PDB file of all heavy atoms in Angstrom:
ATOM      1  N   SER I  72    -134.486 111.000   7.306  1.00  0.00           N
ATOM      2  CA  SER I  72    -134.237 111.434   8.659  1.00  0.00           C
ATOM      3  C   SER I  72    -135.446 111.131   9.552  1.00  0.00           C
ATOM      4  O   SER I  72    -136.578 110.989   9.068  1.00  0.00           O
ATOM      5  CB  SER I  72    -133.901 112.939   8.745  1.00  0.00           C
ATOM      6  OG  SER I  72    -135.097 113.690   8.578  1.00  0.00           O
ATOM      7  N   ARG I  73    -135.207 111.065  10.842  1.00  0.00           N
ATOM      8  CA  ARG I  73    -136.305 110.850  11.807  1.00  0.00           C
ATOM      9  C   ARG I  73    -137.378 111.920  11.659  1.00  0.00           C
ATOM     10  O   ARG I  73    -138.546 111.624  11.771  1.00  0.00           O
ATOM     11  CB  ARG I  73    -135.718 110.827  13.224  1.00  0.00           C
ATOM     12  CG  ARG I  73    -136.746 110.480  14.272  1.00  0.00           C
ATOM     13  CD  ARG I  73    -136.164 110.447  15.683  1.00  0.00           C
ATOM     14  NE  ARG I  73    -137.155 109.908  16.605  1.00  0.00           N
ATOM     15  CZ  ARG I  73    -136.935 108.899  17.394  1.00  0.00           C
ATOM     16  NH1 ARG I  73    -135.778 108.294  17.409  1.00  0.00           N
ATOM     17  NH2 ARG I  73    -137.906 108.490  18.190  1.00  0.00           N
ATOM     18  N   ARG I  74    -136.974 113.157  11.445  1.00  0.00           N
ATOM     19  CA  ARG I  74    -137.930 114.270  11.283  1.00  0.00           C
ATOM     20  C   ARG I  74    -138.894 114.046  10.131  1.00  0.00           C
ATOM     21  O   ARG I  74    -140.046 114.472  10.162  1.00  0.00           O
ATOM     22  CB  ARG I  74    -137.173 115.574  11.106  1.00  0.00           C
ATOM     23  CG  ARG I  74    -136.565 116.125  12.388  1.00  0.00           C
ATOM     24  CD  ARG I  74    -135.946 117.438  12.084  1.00  0.00           C
ATOM     25  NE  ARG I  74    -135.014 117.245  11.011  1.00  0.00           N
ATOM     26  CZ  ARG I  74    -133.778 117.721  10.980  1.00  0.00           C
ATOM     27  NH1 ARG I  74    -133.336 118.441  11.972  1.00  0.00           N
ATOM     28  NH2 ARG I  74    -132.968 117.484  10.001  1.00  0.00           N
ATOM     29  N   CYS I  75    -138.432 113.372   9.094  1.00  0.00           N
ATOM     30  CA  CYS I  75    -139.297 113.091   7.906  1.00  0.00           C
ATOM     31  C   CYS I  75    -140.504 112.249   8.274  1.00  0.00           C
ATOM     32  O   CYS I  75    -141.529 112.303   7.623  1.00  0.00           O
ATOM     33  CB  CYS I  75    -138.508 112.422   6.805  1.00  0.00           C
ATOM     34  SG  CYS I  75    -137.305 113.458   5.972  1.00  0.00           S
ATOM     35  N   HIS I  76    -140.357 111.474   9.336  1.00  0.00           N
ATOM     36  CA  HIS I  76    -141.432 110.552   9.704  1.00  0.00           C
ATOM     37  C   HIS I  76    -142.337 111.137  10.787  1.00  0.00           C
ATOM     38  O   HIS I  76    -143.342 110.564  11.127  1.00  0.00           O
ATOM     39  CB  HIS I  76    -140.835 109.212  10.164  1.00  0.00           C
ATOM     40  CG  HIS I  76    -139.998 108.596   9.114  1.00  0.00           C
ATOM     41  ND1 HIS I  76    -140.535 108.037   7.958  1.00  0.00           N
ATOM     42  CD2 HIS I  76    -138.654 108.462   8.984  1.00  0.00           C
ATOM     43  CE1 HIS I  76    -139.561 107.593   7.180  1.00  0.00           C
ATOM     44  NE2 HIS I  76    -138.429 107.820   7.807  1.00  0.00           N
ATOM     45  N   GLY I  77    -141.936 112.315  11.292  1.00  0.00           N
ATOM     46  CA  GLY I  77    -142.745 113.048  12.266  1.00  0.00           C
ATOM     47  C   GLY I  77    -143.256 112.252  13.426  1.00  0.00           C
ATOM     48  O   GLY I  77    -142.513 111.474  14.006  1.00  0.00           O
ATOM     49  N   ASP I  78    -144.520 112.416  13.746  1.00  0.00           N
ATOM     50  CA  ASP I  78    -145.077 111.781  14.920  1.00  0.00           C
ATOM     51  C   ASP I  78    -145.517 110.355  14.659  1.00  0.00           C
ATOM     52  O   ASP I  78    -146.137 109.735  15.521  1.00  0.00           O
ATOM     53  CB  ASP I  78    -146.274 112.615  15.434  1.00  0.00           C
ATOM     54  CG  ASP I  78    -147.421 112.730  14.425  1.00  0.00           C
ATOM     55  OD1 ASP I  78    -147.230 112.293  13.285  1.00  0.00           O
ATOM     56  OD2 ASP I  78    -148.436 113.291  14.810  1.00  0.00           O
ATOM     57  N   ARG I  79    -145.166 109.820  13.552  1.00  0.00           N
ATOM     58  CA  ARG I  79    -145.524 108.394  13.234  1.00  0.00           C
ATOM     59  C   ARG I  79    -144.625 107.429  14.022  1.00  0.00           C
ATOM     60  O   ARG I  79    -144.991 106.253  14.193  1.00  0.00           O
ATOM     61  CB  ARG I  79    -145.393 108.129  11.741  1.00  0.00           C
ATOM     62  CG  ARG I  79    -146.383 109.026  10.966  1.00  0.00           C
ATOM     63  CD  ARG I  79    -146.526 108.636   9.497  1.00  0.00           C
ATOM     64  NE  ARG I  79    -147.108 107.273   9.451  1.00  0.00           N
ATOM     65  CZ  ARG I  79    -146.543 106.286   8.812  1.00  0.00           C
ATOM     66  NH1 ARG I  79    -145.413 106.436   8.159  1.00  0.00           N
ATOM     67  NH2 ARG I  79    -147.120 105.097   8.805  1.00  0.00           N
ATOM     68  N   ILE I  80    -143.455 107.899  14.475  1.00  0.00           N
ATOM     69  CA  ILE I  80    -142.557 107.040  15.241  1.00  0.00           C
ATOM     70  C   ILE I  80    -143.019 107.107  16.697  1.00  0.00           C
ATOM     71  O   ILE I  80    -143.091 108.190  17.273  1.00  0.00           O
ATOM     72  CB  ILE I  80    -141.130 107.506  15.099  1.00  0.00           C
ATOM     73  CG1 ILE I  80    -140.685 107.322  13.611  1.00  0.00           C
ATOM     74  CG2 ILE I  80    -140.190 106.729  16.032  1.00  0.00           C
ATOM     75  CD1 ILE I  80    -139.294 107.814  13.323  1.00  0.00           C
ATOM     76  N   PRO I  81    -143.320 105.946  17.317  1.00  0.00           N
ATOM     77  CA  PRO I  81    -143.781 105.947  18.715  1.00  0.00           C
ATOM     78  C   PRO I  81    -142.756 106.564  19.635  1.00  0.00           C
ATOM     79  O   PRO I  81    -141.526 106.440  19.456  1.00  0.00           O
ATOM     80  CB  PRO I  81    -143.984 104.450  19.036  1.00  0.00           C
ATOM     81  CG  PRO I  81    -144.074 103.799  17.692  1.00  0.00           C
ATOM     82  CD  PRO I  81    -143.257 104.633  16.705  1.00  0.00           C
ATOM     83  N   ALA I  82    -143.264 107.228  20.704  1.00  0.00           N
ATOM     84  CA  ALA I  82    -142.364 107.803  21.703  1.00  0.00           C
ATOM     85  C   ALA I  82    -141.513 106.693  22.309  1.00  0.00           C
ATOM     86  O   ALA I  82    -141.968 105.595  22.550  1.00  0.00           O
ATOM     87  CB  ALA I  82    -143.188 108.484  22.787  1.00  0.00           C
ATOM     88  N   GLY I  83    -140.238 107.017  22.515  1.00  0.00           N
ATOM     89  CA  GLY I  83    -139.309 106.038  23.109  1.00  0.00           C
ATOM     90  C   GLY I  83    -138.669 105.086  22.139  1.00  0.00           C
ATOM     91  O   GLY I  83    -137.785 104.362  22.528  1.00  0.00           O
ATOM     92  N   ALA I  84    -139.117 105.075  20.899  1.00  0.00           N
ATOM     93  CA  ALA I  84    -138.512 104.212  19.918  1.00  0.00           C
ATOM     94  C   ALA I  84    -137.138 104.735  19.468  1.00  0.00           C
ATOM     95  O   ALA I  84    -136.934 105.941  19.328  1.00  0.00           O
ATOM     96  CB  ALA I  84    -139.412 104.045  18.681  1.00  0.00           C
ATOM     97  N   ALA I  85    -136.210 103.813  19.283  1.00  0.00           N
ATOM     98  CA  ALA I  85    -134.881 104.209  18.766  1.00  0.00           C
ATOM     99  C   ALA I  85    -134.922 104.337  17.263  1.00  0.00           C
ATOM    100  O   ALA I  85    -135.839 103.793  16.604  1.00  0.00           O
ATOM    101  CB  ALA I  85    -133.873 103.168  19.186  1.00  0.00           C
ATOM    102  N   PHE I  86    -133.960 105.052  16.720  1.00  0.00           N
ATOM    103  CA  PHE I  86    -133.950 105.303  15.276  1.00  0.00           C
ATOM    104  C   PHE I  86    -132.487 105.235  14.778  1.00  0.00           C
ATOM    105  O   PHE I  86    -131.634 105.875  15.343  1.00  0.00           O
ATOM    106  CB  PHE I  86    -134.532 106.702  14.981  1.00  0.00           C
ATOM    107  CG  PHE I  86    -134.593 107.051  13.534  1.00  0.00           C
ATOM    108  CD1 PHE I  86    -135.719 106.686  12.786  1.00  0.00           C
ATOM    109  CD2 PHE I  86    -133.551 107.682  12.881  1.00  0.00           C
ATOM    110  CE1 PHE I  86    -135.803 106.982  11.416  1.00  0.00           C
ATOM    111  CE2 PHE I  86    -133.595 108.001  11.532  1.00  0.00           C
ATOM    112  CZ  PHE I  86    -134.736 107.647  10.818  1.00  0.00           C
ATOM    113  N   LEU I  87    -132.297 104.422  13.754  1.00  0.00           N
ATOM    114  CA  LEU I  87    -130.983 104.323  13.117  1.00  0.00           C
ATOM    115  C   LEU I  87    -131.085 104.878  11.682  1.00  0.00           C
ATOM    116  O   LEU I  87    -131.911 104.393  10.860  1.00  0.00           O
ATOM    117  CB  LEU I  87    -130.541 102.840  13.009  1.00  0.00           C
ATOM    118  CG  LEU I  87    -130.152 102.184  14.295  1.00  0.00           C
ATOM    119  CD1 LEU I  87    -129.935 100.696  14.075  1.00  0.00           C
ATOM    120  CD2 LEU I  87    -128.892 102.820  14.841  1.00  0.00           C
ATOM    121  N   ALA I  88    -130.309 105.889  11.387  1.00  0.00           N
ATOM    122  CA  ALA I  88    -130.258 106.416  10.012  1.00  0.00           C
ATOM    123  C   ALA I  88    -129.410 105.510   9.169  1.00  0.00           C
ATOM    124  O   ALA I  88    -128.358 105.063   9.590  1.00  0.00           O
ATOM    125  CB  ALA I  88    -129.721 107.838  10.058  1.00  0.00           C
ATOM    126  N   LYS I  89    -129.939 105.222   7.974  1.00  0.00           N
ATOM    127  CA  LYS I  89    -129.194 104.390   7.032  1.00  0.00           C
ATOM    128  C   LYS I  89    -128.296 105.287   6.183  1.00  0.00           C
ATOM    129  O   LYS I  89    -128.729 106.396   5.884  1.00  0.00           O
ATOM    130  CB  LYS I  89    -130.130 103.582   6.142  1.00  0.00           C
ATOM    131  CG  LYS I  89    -130.876 102.577   6.913  1.00  0.00           C
ATOM    132  CD  LYS I  89    -131.574 101.545   6.060  1.00  0.00           C
ATOM    133  CE  LYS I  89    -132.542 101.983   5.073  1.00  0.00           C
ATOM    134  NZ  LYS I  89    -133.364 100.922   4.452  1.00  0.00           N
ATOM    135  N   PRO I  90    -127.112 104.890   5.841  1.00  0.00           N
ATOM    136  CA  PRO I  90    -126.554 103.568   6.172  1.00  0.00           C
ATOM    137  C   PRO I  90    -126.006 103.583   7.618  1.00  0.00           C
ATOM    138  O   PRO I  90    -125.414 104.570   8.050  1.00  0.00           O
ATOM    139  CB  PRO I  90    -125.415 103.403   5.191  1.00  0.00           C
ATOM    140  CG  PRO I  90    -124.985 104.794   4.843  1.00  0.00           C
ATOM    141  CD  PRO I  90    -126.207 105.653   4.976  1.00  0.00           C
ATOM    142  N   TYR I  91    -126.247 102.511   8.323  1.00  0.00           N
ATOM    143  CA  TYR I  91    -125.755 102.358   9.677  1.00  0.00           C
ATOM    144  C   TYR I  91    -124.633 101.302   9.689  1.00  0.00           C
ATOM    145  O   TYR I  91    -124.572 100.481   8.821  1.00  0.00           O
ATOM    146  CB  TYR I  91    -126.836 102.004  10.678  1.00  0.00           C
ATOM    147  CG  TYR I  91    -127.638 100.792  10.289  1.00  0.00           C
ATOM    148  CD1 TYR I  91    -127.164  99.502  10.567  1.00  0.00           C
ATOM    149  CD2 TYR I  91    -128.875 100.915   9.675  1.00  0.00           C
ATOM    150  CE1 TYR I  91    -127.908  98.385  10.174  1.00  0.00           C
ATOM    151  CE2 TYR I  91    -129.616  99.802   9.307  1.00  0.00           C
ATOM    152  CZ  TYR I  91    -129.128  98.543   9.567  1.00  0.00           C
ATOM    153  OH  TYR I  91    -129.840  97.445   9.205  1.00  0.00           O
ATOM    154  N   ARG I  92    -123.807 101.363  10.666  1.00  0.00           N
ATOM    155  CA  ARG I  92    -122.754 100.333  10.831  1.00  0.00           C
ATOM    156  C   ARG I  92    -123.302  99.232  11.725  1.00  0.00           C
ATOM    157  O   ARG I  92    -124.037  99.505  12.696  1.00  0.00           O
ATOM    158  CB  ARG I  92    -121.494 100.960  11.414  1.00  0.00           C
ATOM    159  CG  ARG I  92    -120.895 102.026  10.501  1.00  0.00           C
ATOM    160  CD  ARG I  92    -119.502 102.398  10.970  1.00  0.00           C
ATOM    161  NE  ARG I  92    -118.892 103.435  10.177  1.00  0.00           N
ATOM    162  CZ  ARG I  92    -118.263 103.208   9.048  1.00  0.00           C
ATOM    163  NH1 ARG I  92    -118.132 101.979   8.580  1.00  0.00           N
ATOM    164  NH2 ARG I  92    -117.736 104.181   8.373  1.00  0.00           N
ATOM    165  N   LEU I  93    -122.900  98.025  11.441  1.00  0.00           N
ATOM    166  CA  LEU I  93    -123.386  96.879  12.238  1.00  0.00           C
ATOM    167  C   LEU I  93    -123.078  97.004  13.720  1.00  0.00           C
ATOM    168  O   LEU I  93    -123.941  96.686  14.558  1.00  0.00           O
ATOM    169  CB  LEU I  93    -122.892  95.540  11.626  1.00  0.00           C
ATOM    170  CG  LEU I  93    -123.484  95.223  10.272  1.00  0.00           C
ATOM    171  CD1 LEU I  93    -122.839  93.938   9.714  1.00  0.00           C
ATOM    172  CD2 LEU I  93    -125.008  95.074  10.350  1.00  0.00           C
ATOM    173  N   PRO I  94    -121.904  97.506  14.118  1.00  0.00           N
ATOM    174  CA  PRO I  94    -121.653  97.641  15.564  1.00  0.00           C
ATOM    175  C   PRO I  94    -122.667  98.632  16.214  1.00  0.00           C
ATOM    176  O   PRO I  94    -123.070  98.414  17.361  1.00  0.00           O
ATOM    177  CB  PRO I  94    -120.238  98.194  15.658  1.00  0.00           C
ATOM    178  CG  PRO I  94    -119.581  97.652  14.398  1.00  0.00           C
ATOM    179  CD  PRO I  94    -120.670  97.716  13.327  1.00  0.00           C
TER     180      PRO I  94
END
Side-chain angles (χ1 to χ4, degrees):
S72 76
R73 185 179 188 125
R74 286 183 303 228
C75 289
H76 302 290
D78 61 354
R79 299 192 63 235
I80 296 176
F86 183 87
L87 290 171
K89 293 194 302 190
Y91 54 80
R92 297 191 182 275
L93 291 176

